[in-house]
Amino acid sequence: MHKLTLKELSAQLQARKISATELATLFLDRIAASDLNAFLHVDRDLTLAQAKAADVRLAGNDAGPLTGVPIAHKDIFVTRNWRTTAGSRMLQDYVSPFDATVVEQFNAAGTVTLGKLNCDEFAMGSSNENSFYGAVKNPWDKTAIPGGSSGGSAAAVAARLAPAATATDTGGSIRQPASLCGVTGIKPTYGSVSRYGMIAFASSLDQGGPIAKTAEDCGLLLNAMTGFDERDSTSLQRPKEDFTRSLNQSLQGLRIGVPKEFFGAGLAADVEAAVRAALAEFEKLGATLVEISLPKTELSIPVYYVIAPAEASSNLSRFDGVRYGHRAADYKDLADMYKKSRAEGFGDEVKRRILVGSYVLSHGYYDAYYLQAQKIRRLIAEDFQRALAGENRQCDVIMGPVSPTVAWDLGDKTDDPVANYLADIFTLSTSLAGLPGMSIPCGFGQGEKNGKRPVGLQIIGNYFDEARLLNVAHQFQQATDWHLREPA
């Protein structure tokens, strides 16, 4: 039963072939037996109480497609009655008095919460090694990283500790771990999913999305997650839509843009081989490949690592030991309390980004760094629009690798933060432009020591083109079985 997709589990629940309580118990037992460190907080009683409530709904006329389905939430979404730590010592014992909008939406849909998932501290990282609570292990190879920052979400779905999970993507934190763990994940258009109750890292970039086994599952989850929220100033006023409406459309005539910048130096041969094979499969399905150029791709790393730390510096100033979060036990005065609380509460990577952000926003450097980065960000977005929009558009979707390599070994890059940053080269530009992008499994590469590790194919679309992306991904998954492969 744990191997079924979310869609299949929903059908089993609706047909009363299994109860929500039985299903929740099955996954809770799997979580308890796992050694991946994917979960930070599990409360069996809370989960089973939600499952019993779902069973009441299933027995009546109040059940929807997600009623009784178990999911887990990245520990960046505040959740009433559950600890919400953002992977940080700063929020070690924090329990929110309210639910994030995303959590509210899933509760309203009748889902059952399995627990809170590990992540890089304040979502800052590409390997999930920055969590105060220890690294998550990749279920395909426990000596490898799962990707980040949503490593707990991707690992939990890959290991079937949960059929689906919420995640967030600031610079690739849904797509990259989905790729490295061999699951499906989608980052929707910026503003589609409410950020209310999502602990902020970089406000102009953060976006919630789902990770699941299939594109169809991700569509069902997006149906619940999206929608206007007046409590989020960046939330877009758009009508609700069914993201699964186009899943079965033919790909005949689809034009796939293949950016030459995504296939240059730095891309591992095993990753390129898997991605090229996936592109050939799309040609068999009726699509046409078109070489395009996204010339500002290489600038996405310096631009992102100016803008994101600047916004983090501002957002994380609230964690000062006064209202909530860690407070130093011994201090002389208020200023000393601030300094010691923040020094003790934040990890090295978070401190690094706060310092960088404070520097680029400081007097005399704002124009030289932050303002210039925002100008180049606009140019990056215009590269995508030349390819995807207007009468002279070159393609319907863009495809390429998600990550330059397969998952690396735990500890390999912990002493080299820049090496971690470079791993985001293919995902950052999509986030900077606010476009939707997703990762689907497309093969395996050779791990350095212990055999095969997953490779993901990235699919990028124009604004609000999620339904098309899911259609493209679904048709590939109907023709291949990479998404059905599971770790031993």
Side-chain angles (χ1 to χ4, degrees):
M1 187 66 68
H2 68 272
K3 293 190 175 184
L4 298 181
T5 67
L6 184 147
K7 176 78 178 291
E8 291 165 341
L9 289 174
S10 175
Q12 295 284 315
L13 287 161
Q14 300 286 339
R16 310 299 286 147
K17 292 183 179 178
I18 190 171
S19 70
T21 301
E22 290 169 327
L23 197 56
T25 301
L26 170 69
F27 281 103
L28 286 169
D29 290 345
R30 290 184 62 78
I31 293 165
S34 170
D35 63 351
L36 298 176
N37 196 33
F39 280 81
L40 292 181
H41 187 200
V42 175
D43 188 316
R44 198 176 186 92
D45 292 339
L46 274 176
T47 298
L48 293 178
Q50 287 188 356
K52 288 173 185 173
D55 280 327
V56 171
R57 290 180 65 171
L58 286 162
N61 298 314
D62 189 30
L66 296 180
T67 303
V69 173
I71 66 168
H73 293 298
K74 182 177 180 179
D75 203 32
I76 217 80
F77 293 99
V78 300
T79 317
R80 191 163 39 192
N81 298 324
W82 302 79
R83 285 197 304 275
T84 302
T85 70
S88 179
R89 183 187 182 190
M90 181 62 80
L91 292 172
Q92 189 168 7
D93 298 312
Y94 179 69
V95 178
S96 172
F98 68 98
D99 285 324
T101 297
V102 164
V103 176
E104 280 183 355
Q105 289 165 318
F106 279 118
N107 288 346
T111 61
V112 176
T113 303
L114 290 171
K116 303 299 292 294
L117 293 160
N118 204 347
C119 58
D120 281 302
E121 185 179 7
F122 287 101
M124 298 182 194
S126 304
S127 66
N128 219 139
E129 294 173 291
N130 293 333
S131 171
F132 175 69
Y133 306 97
V136 176
K137 299 172 187 174
N138 191 316
W140 289 93
D141 181 344
K142 293 177 184 177
T143 67
I145 58 107
S149 63
S150 307
S153 301
V157 172
R160 306 312 287 162
L161 306 182
T166 58
T168 62
D169 191 309
T170 304
S173 288
I174 288 174
R175 292 160 288 157
Q176 189 246 26
S179 171
L180 301 188
C181 287
V183 292
T184 303
I186 183 167
K187 178 198 89 72
T189 303
Y190 178 79
S192 299
V193 172
S194 173
R195 294 188 306 106
Y196 181 76
M198 181 196 302
I199 296 174
F201 162 17
S203 300
S204 74
L205 293 158
D206 297 342
Q207 189 60 189
I211 290 178
K213 197 170 186 177
T214 68
E216 184 173 31
D217 287 355
C218 283
L220 291 169
L221 293 160
L222 269 188
N223 285 347
M225 292 180 80
T226 55
F228 175 66
D229 181 7
E230 63 182 10
R231 297 171 296 185
D232 172 13
S233 62
T234 64
S235 181
L236 298 171
Q237 293 200 44
R238 287 178 60 81
K240 289 285 277 187
E241 60 179 296
D242 177 8
F243 292 101
T244 65
R245 68 185 183 276
S246 307
L247 290 180
N248 296 315
Q249 286 184 2
S250 166
L251 301 188
Q252 197 68 40
L254 180 80
R255 291 174 300 166
I256 298 172
V258 182
K260 61 182 181 182
E261 291 82 5
F262 282 25
F263 291 89
L267 179 62
D270 52 358
V271 174
E272 180 169 1
V275 171
R276 295 281 188 194
L279 292 172
E281 188 66 41
F282 276 106
E283 288 185 294
K284 292 179 190 175
L285 293 171
T288 303
L289 303 185
V290 181
E291 184 179 274
I292 64 168
S293 178
L294 298 173
K296 307 298 187 303
T297 297
E298 66 177 0
L299 297 176
S300 62
I301 289 179
V303 168
Y304 178 86
Y305 283 101
V306 168
I307 292 173
E311 295 183 6
S313 171
S314 176
N315 279 324
L316 270 62
S317 63
R318 71 194 69 179
F319 300 107
D320 54 11
V322 176
R323 189 173 179 188
Y324 43 67
H326 175 76
R327 179 184 292 187
D330 181 33
Y331 50 87
K332 295 179 293 184
D333 52 32
L334 190 61
D336 191 43
M337 186 197 80
Y338 290 157
K339 292 175 185 176
K340 287 182 177 175
S341 297
R342 289 170 67 81
E344 294 169 7
F346 291 137
D348 289 344
E349 182 59 31
V350 173
K351 290 176 187 173
R352 185 179 295 115
R353 297 198 193 192
I354 289 172
L355 289 170
V356 169
S358 299
Y359 176 80
V360 301
L361 289 176
S362 62
H363 181 69
Y365 297 102
Y366 177 90
D367 288 354
Y369 292 102
Y370 185 74
L371 201 57
Q372 286 297 106
Q374 291 288 17
K375 289 177 180 177
I376 300 171
R377 180 183 191 173
R378 177 62 180 267
L379 297 178
I380 290 169
E382 288 174 355
D383 280 352
F384 282 105
Q385 289 308 292
R386 273 189 290 275
L388 291 166
E391 293 181 3
N392 298 318
R393 68 181 183 275
Q394 300 165 277
C395 56
D396 302 306
V397 296
I398 295 169
M399 291 189 190
V402 177
S403 174
T405 67
V406 294
W408 54 92
D409 289 342
L410 287 159
D412 266 10
K413 299 183 181 181
T414 49
D415 295 329
D416 187 357
V418 175
N420 267 302
Y421 300 166
L422 292 172
D424 298 332
I425 182 64
F426 302 132
T427 56
L428 292 178
S429 55
T430 310
S431 293
L432 288 164
L435 294 168
M438 66 184 298
S439 174
I440 57 173
C442 71
F444 292 89
Q446 194 66 30
E448 291 179 12
K449 297 176 183 175
N450 296 303
K452 292 183 176 179
R453 298 179 185 181
V455 175
L457 174 73
Q458 183 169 203
I459 312 173
I460 302 163
N462 205 4
Y463 301 109
F464 312 113
D465 224 0
E466 290 84 358
R468 188 205 292 266
L469 297 189
L470 291 164
N471 161 231
V472 170
H474 180 69
Q475 290 301 305
F476 180 82
Q477 292 182 338
Q478 295 300 104
T480 63
D481 69 348
W482 298 114
H483 63 293
L484 300 177
R485 311 281 182 96
E486 293 188 348

